[in-house]
Amino acid sequence: MRPVDAAFFERPADAVARDLIGVGLLVNGSGGGIVETEAYHGADPASHSFRGPTKRNAVMFGPAGCAYVYLSYGLHWCFNVVCEPGSAVLIRALEPVAGIDEMQARRGITDTSKLCAGPGRLCKALAITGALNGASLFDTPFELYDLGHAPAIRSGPRIGLSVAVEEALRFGEAGSQYLSKPF
DNA sequence: GAGGCGATTGGCT
DNA sequence: GCCAATCGCCTCG
């Protein structure tokens, strides 16, 4: 598997999104394997960066490999990784591996197939908030690791958008039971 | 300075 | 399947 270093993220968001499937992500020791992502590129009408830098999306124009965390619908955090300037990958779902007890307690449920199945759920399970906006994924509390296997990848249209719905920029592990929605 | 809306979720019909 | 919750950001006047 390709090493997950700074150069890994300094690429177009769709390539990073595809290659992140099967990569392990931990926050303060809890997390698991990434099974679902979405790419948001700079010329993308659905991307926060589409109209240029603003206070909220400033991180998207900063260094690759940093976290872009924003509040959605006034109550859910969404976790992205910055790629090329103005682009990012939304982490939508994880297969729980480590710190499962902690994640179950934070979510208030025990069903592991729904623990991290969706961007808002994932952030709640891993305790990701706006406090981590701009933080590097190569520094604590983050940890990236190689799961050591290359899963079969599926792609399809992104979820929850009103524009650019036709582009197949959602990626996921084929047949995973931990997806927010099946492909 | 005010109004509208969103990369969602969980609960109720 | 539908709808409310809830607030920061963006657009417009």
Side-chain angles (χ1 to χ4, degrees):
Chain A
M1 183 179 285
R2 179 188 185 102
V4 185
D5 52 17
F8 177 92
F9 292 107
E10 290 165 2
R11 296 183 294 144
D14 58 330
V16 176
R18 173 177 287 268
D19 291 346
L20 275 177
I21 304 301
V23 170
L25 168 70
L26 300 180
V27 179
N28 279 320
S30 48
I34 296 172
V35 297
E36 184 180 344
T37 61
E38 281 181 3
Y40 289 85
H41 54 87
D44 180 355
S47 172
H48 289 169
S49 63
F50 182 61
R51 297 173 196 283
T54 65
K55 186 175 182 180
R56 175 176 63 165
N57 67 23
V59 171
M60 288 184 77
F61 295 89
C66 288
Y68 169 47
V69 184
Y70 72 94
L71 190 61
S72 176
Y73 291 93
L75 23 102
H76 304 295
W77 294 103
C78 289
F79 172 65
N80 303 249
V81 185
V82 178
C83 302
E84 286 184 326
S87 74
V89 172
L90 172 68
I91 310 300
R92 288 191 57 90
L94 292 184
E95 173 177 345
V97 173
I100 292 179
D101 289 349
E102 270 186 289
M103 296 194 287
Q104 288 172 328
R106 292 192 192 108
R107 291 273 289 113
I109 63 170
T110 56
D111 182 353
T112 56
S113 73
K114 293 185 175 63
L115 261 192
C116 306
R121 294 165 169 175
L122 181 156
C123 284
K124 186 168 186 183
L126 302 192
I128 294 173
T129 70
L132 291 174
N133 189 38
S136 169
L137 267 69
F138 301 113
D139 288 326
T140 174
F142 294 109
E143 202 173 331
L144 296 170
Y145 63 99
D146 188 341
L147 285 172
H149 68 98
I153 309 289
R154 290 280 180 84
S155 65
R158 294 175 292 184
I159 293 175
L161 302 185
S162 55
V163 294
V165 293
E166 74 286 353
E167 297 183 82
L169 292 175
R170 174 179 178 236
F171 301 93
E173 177 172 336
S176 170
Q177 61 176 313
Y178 302 101
L179 300 172
S180 64
K181 290 183 183 175
F183 280 83

